[in-house]
Amino acid sequence: MPSDNSHSAVSHKAAVIIRLEGVNKVYGLGETTVNALRDVNLTVNAGEYCAIMGASGSGKSTMMNMIGCLDRPTTGHYYLDGEAVAEMDDSQLAHVRNRKIGFVFQQFHLLSQVSALENVMLPMIYANVPAAERKERAIAALQQVGLGDRLNNRPNQLSGGQQQRVAIARAIVNRPVLLLADEPTGALDSKTTQEILEIFGNLNTKGMTVVMVTHEAEVARCTRRVIWFRDGQVIHENLKPEDLMQATF
Amino acid sequence: MDLVESVKMATATLTGNRLRSALTMLGMIIGNASVVAMIGIGEGAQRFAADQFKSLGPNVLFIVPGNDNARNRTLNIPKTLVLGDAKAIAEQVPSINDVAPQLQNQAPVVYGNKRKSTLVIGTTERFAIVRDYNVARGRFITQQEVQRGTPVAVIGSKLAETLFGTKNPLGERVRVRGLSFKIIGLLASKGSFLGNNQDDVLLVPLSTLSSRLTGRTSPYGVEVTFISVSAKDKSQMAAAKTQITNLLRLRHKIVTEDDFTVRSQDEALSIIGAVTGALTIMLVAIAGISLLVGGIGIMNIMLVSVTERTQEIGLRKAIGATQSDILIQFLIESIILSAAGGIIGIMIGAGTVVMVGVLTPLKSSVSMPAIALAVSVSGGIGVFFGVVPAQRAARLDPIVALRSN
C-alpha cells in the first residue's frame, strides 16, 4: 500500500480534516423533537487519532453519521478536508464518502457472496478506477492488513478478525483523508481487538487521520485524543486517553 | 460506475442464489414458451387450412342443396339440386370453365375377399379438371361412359392400396352392391382434406351410380350431392356466384328463400382463418397473462431481495454508491432475470413448435414476429416490474439500512 500517498494527501492541505461549526441535529417534528446534537463545535487535524465516547443516547452515533457524511446537520456547518458538505446533495455526499472517507463497522458489512479481493475492490468500482488498477491496489491494501494470502477467500471462510481486516483494507483502498470506525472491535475478542487496534495505530503512524466511535475505555486508550459526548454536546473536547478512567468514573 | 460493472455485480448476485433465480425466471420461461409456441402453432394451423383448400382445386365454387340462412331451416336437405341444374349451369353461365356434378354414397367396395367401406362418387368426365385430380395410371371416365352409364371406375390411391396392395388395379373388377365395375384408372395421391382422405374414393360415371345403385330419389330429376364449378379465373368467381345463383333461382322458381347455397373456397377459408385467428389471439392472450404473472413474480422476488439485502445496500451507499448506482444495479438484476427467462422460454417454445411441425400435419414454424414480441415484452417486463423494487432500494437511508437486522 502506498502509504506515502496518504501522507501527501494530508500534508499539502491545510492541516484541518474535520471542522464542525455550530452543528445542530434535530430529529422528528412538532412536540416530539429530539435534539441529537446541540451546537457542536469541533476540529480534528490531519494525522490525529481520536476516539468519540459517551453513553448511549449521548449523540455519538449521530456524530459518527454526521462526520461520515451519511447525514446532514439541521443547522450549522461541516467542512471535511476543506469542503462544505452540509450543503451537498445526496449524490455529492456519495462522492465525498467514496473519495474522502473510509468506513469500518462493528459488523464488518462484507458482501458474503464474493471474495475478500472483490470486497476490497468495491469502493474503487464506484470511483471508476480501471479494472487492472483496482486489482493491484486491492491486493496492496490486503497485504497491508496482513491478508496477502487470503485474497480469494470468501468472508465465511475467514475469522472475525480477518473479516475486519478485509473491511479495513476496503476502507483505505480509495486513499481517504479520514478513516472512520464505528465500534470496530465490538464483535471481536480481546486478542483480536489488539491486532485490529495495532493496524489502526500503524495506519495512523503513517499519517492516516483516524476517528473511532467506541464505548470501551480500553479501546479508546489506544488513541491519542478522546472527545466526550453527553446529551448531544461535546463536554470534553480533548481528553487525554490516560485520564480516561478518572473521567469515566 | 459503468454498465459493465453493474452487469457483473448483478450476475454475481443472481448466480449466488441460483435456485431462487431459476424459480423467479420460471414465470418468464413459461410465459415466453407459450407465446412463441401458441403463435407458431396457430400460424401452422392457418397455413394447414389454406393448403387444404388449395387441394380442392383452383377457383372452385361448390353448389350444395339447402340454405343455412333460411328461416324455416329443417334437418331435411331439399332434394331440388339435380343433374339438370349442372347441365344448365354449364350451358348458360358464361364466367365458368367447367362443371362437375357429383352424387356420392358411402358403400362397401369388394375385391375378392377384401371389402372396404368407401365414398363412391358418381360424377362426369369434367370432375378431374374441376377438382384438380390427376390420373396416375390408365385414364379417367369419358363423356361416352357417362352418357351410357358404363360400369367403369377410377380408383383412389389409398383404396387401391387397401384392396390391391402393390398389384396393378387396372383391368380388375370390383363390386359395389352387387354391381361389377371395371377399373380403368388410378388417381394420383392428393392427400387428405380436413381429415377426409381424398384418396380413399371410387369414382364412377354419375349415370351408372344414379340409375343402377341409388335409384331415383328426387321428383325433379337425378339428384346430386353437390356441384363443383370452376370459374374462369379468380376475378370471375364473384360473377360466377351471382350468375349461378340467379340461374338456379329461375330454374327452381324461387321467390323467397333459396333452397341451395353457392360456396367459394375463399369464403370457407376466411371462416377457418377467422376461427383459427381468434383461437390464436385467445391462446396468446392467455400466454400473455402468464408473462404478466411472471413479471409480478420478478417484482415480488426483487422486493424480497431489497428487504433481505438492506444492509448490503446501506454498505454500498456508505462506501460511495449513489442512488442511481443502486437503482441501476437492481434494475439490471430484474432485466437479467426476465431476459434470461425470456430467452430460455423462447428456445423451449421454438423447440415445441418445431416438434409439432415434425410430429403433426400442422405446418407450424417458428414465427419471427412472435420472437420479437416475446423478447420486447419480457425485456419491458423486466424494466417495468423492476422499477418499483429498484427505487425502493435506491431510496433507502444508509444509516437505517446499515443498522437494520
Side-chain angles (χ1 to χ4, degrees):
Chain A
M1 175 70 193
S3 57
D4 50 343
N5 270 355
S6 13
H7 264 303
S8 63
V10 169
S11 54
H12 78 275
K13 293 263 180 188
V16 180
I17 296 295
I18 297 170
R19 195 165 93 236
L20 292 128
E21 292 178 353
V23 167
N24 283 282
K25 182 68 193 181
V26 182
Y27 289 116
L29 289 167
E31 291 181 4
T32 56
T33 54
V34 176
N35 290 325
L37 293 178
R38 300 160 196 255
D39 192 28
V40 173
N41 294 286
L42 185 70
T43 302
V44 174
N45 292 320
E48 279 201 74
Y49 189 2
C50 316
I52 294 177
M53 295 193 74
S56 304
S58 63
K60 64 183 196 299
S61 287
T62 308
M63 187 63 183
M64 154 95 189
N65 295 336
M66 202 65 69
I67 294 174
C69 297
L70 291 164
D71 206 349
R72 274 178 289 247
T74 311
T75 58
H77 300 284
Y78 171 27
Y79 302 94
L80 175 67
D81 196 26
E83 286 184 51
V85 294
E87 290 78 28
M88 286 183 177
D89 65 23
D90 282 353
S91 96
Q92 288 171 314
L93 282 181
H95 187 78
V96 167
R97 290 196 295 268
N98 185 229
R99 309 297 167 107
K100 293 196 181 292
I101 302 170
F103 284 98
V104 178
F105 302 97
Q106 179 176 3
Q107 299 300 332
F108 322 140
H109 286 309
L110 300 176
L111 301 188
S112 58
Q113 287 162 343
V114 297
S115 68
L117 186 65
E118 284 169 288
N119 266 290
V120 177
M121 292 199 293
L122 197 59
M124 293 186 286
I125 290 175
Y126 292 117
N128 289 319
V129 175
E133 189 187 339
R134 279 207 299 264
K135 189 166 183 185
E136 206 174 289
R137 274 165 59 178
I139 292 172
L142 280 164
Q143 282 167 345
Q144 200 181 348
V145 296
L147 284 178
D149 56 341
R150 292 301 179 94
L151 303 177
N152 296 315
N153 289 54
R154 290 197 177 187
N156 60 8
Q157 297 165 318
L158 299 171
S159 70
Q162 287 170 326
Q163 289 186 52
Q164 193 60 303
R165 283 194 270 169
V166 174
I168 294 172
R170 182 180 64 193
I172 60 177
V173 78
N174 255 355
R175 298 160 187 163
V177 296
L178 173 65
L179 185 57
L180 197 54
D182 185 8
E183 304 279 4
T185 59
L188 302 173
D189 60 37
S190 58
K191 180 171 169 287
T192 323
T193 297
Q194 286 313 309
E195 289 171 14
I196 295 298
L197 289 174
E198 204 171 300
I199 293 172
F200 281 121
N202 288 339
L203 288 168
N204 176 252
T205 313
K206 288 172 185 167
M208 178 68 77
T209 311
V210 180
V211 173
M212 190 184 283
V213 173
T214 183
H215 66 274
E216 288 175 80
E218 273 188 54
V219 173
R221 219 173 285 121
C222 299
T223 66
R224 291 205 292 270
R225 173 187 173 187
V226 173
I227 301 157
W228 197 275
F229 270 77
R230 183 186 294 157
D231 298 332
Q233 287 178 307
V234 179
I235 57 164
H236 292 289
E237 194 188 314
N238 197 350
L239 213 57
K240 292 275 165 271
E242 47 272 26
D243 299 337
L244 210 51
M245 292 313 243
Q246 194 188 334
T248 319
F249 301 106
Chain B
M1 186 170 65
D2 63 23
L3 212 55
V4 178
E5 293 301 334
S6 308
V7 172
K8 276 189 199 165
M9 268 184 199
T11 318
T13 308
L14 294 176
T15 51
N17 213 331
R18 263 165 238 252
L19 180 64
R20 174 191 284 188
S21 302
L23 288 174
T24 311
M25 282 193 289
L26 205 55
M28 297 305 292
I29 293 174
I30 293 170
N32 277 286
S34 24
V35 165
V36 171
M38 289 310 152
I39 294 180
I41 293 170
E43 287 186 349
Q46 274 171 335
R47 260 196 299 274
F48 175 72
D51 286 356
Q52 294 271 294
F53 277 88
K54 272 184 207 140
S55 75
L56 290 177
N59 309 327
V60 174
L61 292 166
F62 296 97
I63 303 144
V64 297
N67 182 357
D68 282 348
N69 297 321
R71 261 185 297 140
N72 52 352
R73 189 169 109 204
T74 61
L75 282 175
N76 292 329
I77 296 167
K79 298 169 182 295
T80 51
L81 195 66
V82 293
L83 193 56
D85 289 331
K87 283 179 181 152
I89 290 167
E91 285 160 13
Q92 296 173 36
V93 175
S95 54
I96 60 156
N97 264 342
D98 276 300
V99 177
Q102 80 188 65
L103 170 59
Q104 58 190 42
N105 211 323
Q106 192 79 21
V109 178
V110 182
Y111 172 73
N113 59 357
K114 285 187 185 137
R115 180 190 171 90
K116 173 84 169 64
S117 179
T118 301
L119 193 63
V120 178
I121 300 175
T123 186
T124 67
E125 73 283 356
R126 314 305 298 168
F127 180 85
I129 300 159
V130 177
R131 294 291 303 277
D132 201 24
Y133 272 92
N134 290 314
V135 177
R137 300 166 84 169
R139 60 174 178 84
F140 202 72
I141 301 161
T142 64
Q143 198 181 351
Q144 274 188 335
E145 285 162 345
V146 174
Q147 278 166 0
R148 291 177 187 163
T150 320
V152 292
V154 177
I155 191 168
S157 56
K158 176 81 191 304
L159 181 63
E161 199 189 307
T162 312
L163 296 180
F164 301 101
T166 53
K167 194 173 150 193
N168 183 0
L170 295 190
E172 298 292 333
R173 288 192 163 267
V174 292
R175 295 184 77 79
V176 182
R177 296 212 179 111
L179 187 63
S180 170
F181 288 86
K182 184 183 173 192
I183 306 284
I184 53 165
L186 172 68
L187 292 171
S189 175
K190 209 163 148 69
S192 62
F193 171 72
L194 303 180
N196 291 324
N197 194 323
Q198 298 186 88
D199 298 323
D200 197 8
V201 291
L202 189 72
L203 303 179
V204 300
L206 192 140
S207 47
T208 318
L209 188 65
S210 65
S211 61
R212 304 219 204 166
L213 288 178
T214 56
R216 190 179 173 89
T217 52
S218 163
Y220 303 101
V222 176
E223 190 197 354
V224 296
T225 314
F226 60 90
I227 304 170
S228 313
V229 176
S230 68
K232 282 214 164 84
D233 59 57
K234 206 170 175 59
S235 63
Q236 296 280 319
M237 289 189 55
K241 187 174 173 180
T242 314
Q243 289 161 0
I244 292 166
T245 307
N246 289 336
L247 177 67
L248 291 184
R249 280 179 184 164
L250 219 57
R251 284 180 59 83
H252 294 186
K253 302 187 174 64
I254 286 167
V255 287
T256 54
E257 284 174 337
D258 291 347
D259 60 354
F260 62 91
T261 309
V262 183
R263 290 213 179 102
S264 67
Q265 46 169 312
D266 277 359
E267 275 174 306
L269 193 54
S270 71
I271 291 168
I272 292 204
V275 170
T276 52
L279 267 174
T280 306
I281 288 169
M282 193 189 78
L283 292 172
V284 169
I286 292 169
I289 290 170
S290 69
L291 271 184
L292 189 73
V293 173
I296 294 169
I298 288 181
M299 177 154 77
N300 186 23
I301 292 296
M302 291 306 294
L303 283 171
V304 171
S305 173
V306 169
T307 309
E308 275 184 357
R309 287 155 68 194
T310 302
Q311 286 203 5
E312 176 199 326
I313 295 162
L315 178 272
R316 285 179 186 273
K317 285 193 152 188
I319 64 173
T322 59
Q323 285 204 8
S324 67
D325 286 333
I326 302 290
L327 184 83
I328 288 169
Q329 186 193 343
F330 276 82
L331 211 47
I332 285 178
E333 280 182 29
S334 62
I335 291 173
I336 288 179
L337 279 175
S338 73
I343 289 166
I344 296 171
I346 285 166
M347 292 194 297
I348 292 174
T352 311
V353 168
V354 169
M355 255 174 53
V356 166
V358 171
L359 298 177
T360 72
L362 296 184
K363 293 178 183 171
S364 58
S365 63
V366 181
S367 152
M368 282 302 145
I371 288 181
L373 178 81
V375 167
S376 53
V377 168
S378 50
I381 280 173
V383 177
F384 184 79
F385 289 104
V387 163
V388 171
Q391 277 181 341
R392 183 173 286 192
R395 286 179 189 153
L396 277 178
D397 180 348
I399 301 167
V400 177
L402 280 167
R403 301 228 184 286
S404 80
N405 267 316

